[in-house]
Amino acid sequence: LALNIFGTLAVSALFLQSDSIHLSSASVPQCQEKHFWVKFTRDVMVSIISSVIVMAPTTILVMLHRRPIAYDEDPRKQEWQLRKRQILDILILAIAGIWLSGCIVLSVSFLANVRPSDADHWLVSALAMFIKAWIMVPLAMALAWEFFTVVLARKPGLTRRIAEMLKNLKDATSGREGSELDFQTW
């Protein structure tokens, strides 16, 4: 969560930094945008684009973290697997820490070196990101779950079919104790 939040703030700062380079404090007033809604729309779009860009490094870290546990009877192989897993965990934490620190430094440096109006645009972009992440996405997920529950309630045959699929999946994986469910068996 912290990687997404601070990453989005840092990428927003990069977008707004490149936008503020074109206008200096000595620029003529005609060069600056006057319309509130144009500025607001741009700030919201910067927030959305920044969120999409930040998904890439976050997804890579999640993929590195999601690795299967192979069970082996040999104690030396078990120890080696645990040691390897521990080394990968430390590597993931180091990468995430470097990414987080870089994002924080970039955001703070941006705020320290821009005009107050650019800092205001960054704040609007940050608020748009928080509204999207904490209000819009949970609301969309809740509405989607509501839709699926209504569909399932109206189609009892579909509910039985899903229950059979889950039972078959449980039966297929019950021989492997402690293993993660493999949803590709569907």
Side-chain angles (χ1 to χ4, degrees):
L1 182 63
L3 295 177
N4 281 337
I5 291 172
F6 286 107
T8 302
L9 294 177
V11 173
S12 295
L14 285 175
F15 274 118
L16 295 171
Q17 177 73 23
S18 67
D19 186 48
S20 67
I21 290 173
H22 302 295
L23 294 175
S24 68
S25 58
S27 294
V28 292
Q30 290 83 6
C31 291
Q32 298 177 2
E33 297 173 355
K34 297 281 185 186
H35 302 290
F36 168 78
W37 289 110
V38 172
K39 292 178 184 180
F40 181 76
T41 304
R42 183 192 63 203
D43 294 340
V44 170
M45 293 306 295
V46 164
S47 172
I48 292 170
I49 292 169
S50 299
S51 297
V52 170
I53 290 172
V54 169
M55 281 184 199
T58 305
T59 303
I60 290 170
L61 286 173
V62 168
M63 288 173 56
L64 284 173
H65 187 68
R66 288 180 52 194
R67 53 198 182 273
I69 298 175
Y71 293 96
D72 200 336
E73 296 297 324
D74 185 13
R76 287 188 297 168
K77 286 184 179 179
Q78 285 179 353
E79 185 179 330
W80 167 246
Q81 288 175 0
L82 289 174
R83 187 169 291 145
K84 182 180 165 185
R85 191 170 180 88
Q86 185 179 28
I87 290 169
L88 287 174
D89 284 342
I90 291 170
L91 179 66
I92 291 170
L93 282 173
I95 292 170
I98 291 168
W99 170 256
L100 185 62
S101 300
C103 291
I104 291 171
V105 167
L106 182 71
S107 297
V108 170
S109 298
F110 169 77
L111 291 174
N113 292 308
V114 295
R115 297 178 299 170
S117 63
D118 292 329
D120 292 343
H121 289 294
W122 181 82
L123 182 62
V124 169
S125 180
L127 289 174
M129 184 263 308
F130 286 124
I131 289 171
K132 179 190 73 69
W134 292 344
I135 296 174
M136 301 304 288
V137 170
L139 181 63
M141 289 176 66
L143 291 174
W145 278 111
E146 175 67 22
F147 172 76
F148 289 126
T149 56
V150 168
V151 167
L152 286 175
R154 291 184 182 175
K155 297 185 179 188
L158 182 60
T159 305
R160 279 192 300 275
R161 192 169 138 212
I162 290 173
E164 288 174 12
M165 291 172 73
L166 290 174
K167 183 182 179 297
N168 292 339
L169 180 65
K170 181 182 177 189
D171 292 343
T173 59
S174 63
R176 295 182 271 164
E177 287 187 32
S179 65
E180 294 180 15
L181 290 178
D182 183 14
F183 288 101
Q184 293 178 355
T185 59
W186 284 16

